[in-house]
Each structure stands twice: as C-alpha cells, then as structure tokens.
Amino acid sequence: MTQAFDVVIVGAGMVGAALATGLGRSGFRVGLVDQGAAPSYDAAQPPDIRVSALSAGSERYLAELGAWPDILAMRATRYTRLAVWDETDHPLSNVLPRKIAEVVFDARNLSARHLGHIVENRITQQALWSSASAQPSVTLFCGHAVTSLSNSDNYATVTLDDGTELTGELVVGADGANSGVRNLAGIGVTRDQYQQQAMVVSVRYQGPVQDITWQGFYPSGPRAFLPLHAAGNGESWASLVWYDSPEELARLKSLDNSALMAEIQNAFPPELPLLTHIDARASFPIARQHAKNYVNNRVVLVGDAAHTINPLAGQGVNLGFQDARCLQSVLREARRAGCDLANPARLDQYEQQRRPANRRMMLAMDVFYHLFSNRTPPLHLLRNLGLGAAKAMPFARNRVAKYAMGIDDDLPPVIRQLAERLPGFKQL
Ligand SMILES: Cc1cc2nc3c(=O)[nH]c(=O)nc-3n(C[C@H](O)[C@H](O)[C@H](O)COP(=O)(O)OP(=O)(O)OC[C@H]3O[C@@H](n4cnc5c(N)ncnc54)[C@H](O)[C@@H]3O)c2cc1C
C-alpha cells in the first residue's frame, strides 16, 4: 500500500517530532515514522537515564509548538545557576582557593528568570508526539523501521519493514547519529571519536531540588551534576555525568551499587549532595560527526543525523531544534512561492544557515575538550586565565551564557578564534 504526503520524516525522536509538529501546524501533510513504540508517561516512573539541558531558546521553540506546557505538567527542573571550574592539580593548588578558577553564570545577572531546564528525553519526546498527533495533517507510523529509499523526478519513496510505502516531495532523515536515511541517500560523514566516553548515573540525594547545575573539569574528563525533580521522603533525583577513558568507565560500570557510590563520593567534588541511592547507569560513546552534505536530491538531514557534538556543554538537541525551526521556515517559504519542496536553491538556504552554526558549536566544544583534557602547564595556565578572565569580566561571561542559552547566535570572538585554529576546522 502506498500513502502520499508532502513530507515524510523518518525518526520521531525529539527533533523529528518537533519538525512534524511545526510542519503540521502550517498545514503540510506529514508522515512521521519511528521504529520505536509510542513513549508513555507515569508520574511514579523513575527518570529516563537520558536527560538534556534545554536552553531558553529551545523552550521558546517548544512553547511555539504547544509542547512546553505538557512538559512542565509532566516534569522539568529549572536551573538558575550554572557553575564551571577547573579541578586539575597545579603547583599552587594547596595555596589558592579552588573558587579562583570557578565561573558561575546566574540568571539574575542576565535579567532572565532561569538559564534553562533539565528535562528527561522521554518526556520531551512524549510531549512532542502528543503535539504532532494533535495535528490533523500528521500521520504517525510507530513500531516500523524504514528499510529502503528511492528517488524519482517528482517524489521520494521510503519503504517500511511491513512493506508499506510512503511517498513525499521531501524525505527528512531525523533518525539519529547512525542514520539509515543518510546511508541510503549516500551521504558520507566526517567522524572523530573522542578518547573519552560518558557514563550517566541516575541517583537520589538527600535534600530539596537544587537550582544549580555544575561541572568540574578533571584531567581525565568533566564530572557533572544535573538536578532533577523531587523523589519524596525529603529526597530528590539527579543525573551525574562522568567522562573518562573507555577502560576506566568499563571498570566503574562493572562495580555493584555500593562500590560505585564509594567511587563517586571519592571522585566528585564536595558540592555533590549526600547521595542515598544509585538507580541506573549507562555509558555513551561520544564522537564529533558531521554529514558531508545536509541535502541530497529529495533527502534532507536534521538533528543528530546531520551532526553530533561532544555533550560536555549539553547542546546537541538544542542545535537539532534550531535545524528543525530553520527547515520549517524554508519549507513554508517554498510553499508560499509555489516551489517544489525539494527545490535545490531553497534547501541550499537551509544548509547555508545551519552548517556554519553547527560547525561553530562543534568546534567550541572541541576548544573546551582540548583545553581541559590537557595537562601541560601552559594550557593549564591558559584555562585558568580564561576562567579568571571570564570571572573578572561580566560582559564576556554574559556573552558565553547567552550563547549557551540560545539567546545570542554569535559565538564570543575569543572562542571562535581558538576554534578556527583547531586541526580539522577546514574539513568539517
Ligand atoms: C551523555 C549525553 C548527554 C547529552 N546531554 C545533552 C544535553 O544536556 N542537552 C542537549 O541539547 N543534548 C544532549 N545530548 C545530545 C542529545 O541527546 C541528542 O542531540 C538528541 O537526542 C538528538 O535527537 P534526534 O531526535 O536528532 O535523534 P535521536 O534522539 O537519536 O532520535 C532518532 C529517532 O529515530 C528513530 N529511528 C532510527 N532509525 C530508524 C529507522 N531506520 N526507521 C525508523 N525510525 C528510526 C529512533 O527510534 C529514534 O526515535 C546528550 C547526548 C549524550 C550522549
């Protein structure tokens, strides 16, 4: 059986479901396919192991799509402060207070109510599936994987694993880092695997929900605390992220909960509240990956299918939402002008807007990664001077915070210059 749409979106993760909602609200006929089952929410459920720090920019976008109130009605944790510091030993470690190399971003200094929210991925996806399904012109196909893709002059066709065929003027690959659509469309990637991996640990701690998220940089990688909602009995949930070598993380993952708890208490800074339980853990390989093209004929890529970045500043899905928002407006304009939705000049506008912005963020993350994973004294000095300068200059600090919050589109010049000197800048 063949069904016809204007746009077929493969992958109803956070980015694909957001794009489907946005296009559906503009009257496009959208087929939205995901191999997974519909996400479900139960207030008694422990948190999803995958959580994301959503910027104020993403919050605005999700509000425009009508999904934000649903997210808040389920659960989301507001943070008003973000602290970053260097935890590397240096000759003056014992003399200087650690706070000297600490920068705190505070919403009050930016005239903002908060810096962002930590939200479980399952909750964002659930709210977006509801908003997508509420659009009469969006049809969801869940529990089906796409197995093939073909292009003709006037449309593209994807075939699902039950033989159903869906045609569209445009097929969007929103199917994540290992995108099958990208492969089927013959789009290659440049990829760099980082030496570090990330282990995420879902924990409960004693005390009320904190309004701060923090990250300490150690020579073996950052260690971060992301607050989540209240757990009852005077406890709260949180997500810890521990970046380290694959070997060290394999050792930690093999420990039982009480041994892992002891390792965390030993390795994390004193800011860590008193942990009471470890509830889940998972590790994620991290790689910087960029599709060589975002567009090929009637296929276009968004989100992790187009780019993955080091998650150390939690920007991956925020960039994906910016892709979705940009593609939505390009397609609306194409329709208004009576163009084919796969018009090359129109899709080129999307790539021209999003590729440089995504590349800048990837490279900014690499600046942080290289600067903080390096033990050599000049770099140590440089990063402390950098943190010291950010501390001393509220203007510079506020620019960094506004960029990370999605309020400013421009990367602060000093980070942009450092990024452009990194090996591989030209190939990305
Ligand atoms: C440790 C870690 C921490 C992170 N923290 C943050 C953070 O704080 N903030 C942030 O912004 N980002 C963060 N990220 C990144 C963020 O998780 C990703 O950028 C985001 O999940 C990408 O969303 P997506 O919708 O593009 O892809 P995905 O979430 O990968 O969704 C892809 C969807 O496609 C479906 N699919 C795949 N193949 C097929 C197929 N053949 N047919 C049909 N369906 C298919 C899948 O079922 C899935 O639903 C983090 C990442 C990691 C690893």
Side-chain angles (χ1 to χ4, degrees):
M1 194 177 76
T2 304
Q3 298 187 46
F5 297 94
D6 299 320
V7 181
V8 176
I9 301 175
V10 182
M14 296 184 279
V15 177
L19 178 64
T21 307
L23 291 176
R25 286 166 76 98
S26 302
F28 287 86
R29 291 173 308 146
V30 179
L32 176 62
V33 187
D34 202 284
Q35 62 192 8
S40 60
Y41 171 70
D42 169 357
Q45 248 171 359
D48 187 1
I49 188 81
R50 296 164 315 147
V51 306
S52 297
L54 300 183
S55 68
S58 293
E59 176 184 331
R60 272 198 308 279
Y61 177 52
L62 292 166
E64 275 164 35
L65 298 177
W68 190 247
D70 277 0
I71 291 175
L72 292 183
M74 287 184 272
R75 49 200 191 200
T77 308
R78 209 166 70 109
Y79 60 94
T80 58
R81 292 174 299 144
L82 183 158
V84 180
W85 61 80
D86 188 357
E87 282 279 1
T88 322
D89 279 339
H90 55 84
L92 298 177
S93 305
N94 295 331
V95 188
L96 294 174
R98 195 199 57 194
K99 298 269 173 198
I100 213 152
E102 180 185 51
V103 186
V104 182
F105 301 102
D106 191 324
R108 281 171 308 185
N109 302 332
L110 298 164
S111 315
R113 275 179 300 153
H114 50 262
L115 296 178
H117 284 78
I118 313 289
V119 189
E120 297 157 55
N121 290 6
R122 186 172 56 206
I123 285 191
T124 306
Q125 195 189 14
Q126 154 94 25
L128 285 165
W129 278 45
S130 304
S131 55
S133 328
Q135 307 307 317
S137 63
V138 176
T139 310
L140 261 155
F141 300 83
C142 31
H144 290 293
V146 164
T147 54
S148 72
L149 167 74
S150 64
N151 267 300
S152 77
D153 284 349
N154 300 319
Y155 52 83
T157 306
V158 297
T159 308
L160 308 190
D161 53 12
D162 64 352
T164 304
E165 290 187 337
L166 311 178
T167 64
E169 276 180 47
L170 192 65
V171 168
V172 180
D175 49 347
N178 299 319
S179 170
V181 168
R182 192 182 60 220
N183 291 339
L184 291 167
I187 300 176
V189 293
T190 52
R191 187 170 201 278
D192 265 315
Q193 183 81 42
Y194 293 101
Q195 282 161 6
Q196 295 166 2
Q197 288 189 357
M199 177 171 73
V200 179
V201 190
S202 196
V203 296
R204 277 173 277 169
Y205 63 90
Q206 219 165 63
V209 175
Q210 299 209 357
D211 70 344
I212 185 166
T213 178
W214 49 254
Q215 182 150 256
F217 284 86
Y218 295 76
S220 55
R223 290 168 205 164
F225 169 85
L226 292 87
L228 295 171
H229 53 283
N233 299 327
E235 293 181 348
S236 305
W237 291 98
S239 181
L240 305 181
V241 193
W242 187 333
Y243 295 81
D244 217 308
S245 65
E247 298 73 35
E248 177 61 359
L249 291 190
R251 182 187 75 78
L252 291 168
K253 260 177 60 188
S254 70
L255 300 176
D256 64 22
N257 279 350
S258 63
L260 180 60
M261 179 83 90
E263 293 272 357
I264 291 172
Q265 273 154 357
N266 188 35
F268 271 64
E271 281 74 5
L272 185 71
L274 183 65
L275 301 188
T276 54
H277 299 84
I278 289 182
D279 292 274
R281 57 182 102 165
S283 65
F284 300 87
I286 53 175
R288 183 187 70 192
Q289 182 172 281
H290 210 178
K292 290 193 172 151
N293 309 94
Y294 287 6
V295 179
N296 187 10
N297 200 356
R298 292 189 175 274
V299 173
V300 58
L301 304 176
V302 292
D304 274 22
H307 46 76
T308 61
I309 66 168
N310 193 318
L312 68 83
Q315 289 299 331
V317 77
N318 293 310
L319 293 181
F321 285 145
Q322 289 169 30
D323 294 347
R325 190 182 216 167
C326 175
L327 184 59
Q328 246 169 260
S329 87
V330 164
L331 295 180
R332 265 199 306 263
E333 282 305 313
R335 160 126 323 159
R336 207 167 289 144
C339 296
D340 183 342
L341 296 179
N343 178 294
R346 300 278 171 177
L347 293 181
D348 193 47
Q349 280 174 12
Y350 163 69
E351 179 149 2
Q352 291 310 320
Q353 284 182 51
R354 292 308 307 151
R355 176 174 284 281
N358 291 330
R359 185 169 67 160
R360 272 199 298 276
M361 183 62 91
M362 282 175 164
L363 292 168
M365 292 310 104
D366 273 14
V367 169
F368 289 123
Y369 173 78
H370 288 295
L371 209 56
F372 283 98
S373 0
N374 201 304
R375 293 164 195 255
T376 54
L379 278 177
H380 187 271
L381 183 66
L382 180 66
R383 64 179 176 250
N384 276 311
L385 284 175
L387 287 175
K391 199 180 172 74
M393 293 189 296
F395 177 69
R397 186 175 58 206
N398 291 351
R399 292 259 336 248
V400 173
K402 284 184 168 168
Y403 180 67
M405 286 165 68
I407 294 173
D408 267 0
D409 286 339
D410 278 336
L411 194 60
V414 64
I415 298 178
R416 183 193 287 236
Q417 282 160 18
L418 282 168
E420 286 172 4
R421 283 170 198 207
L422 282 180
F425 173 76
K426 295 214 164 53
Q427 288 88 55
L428 262 182

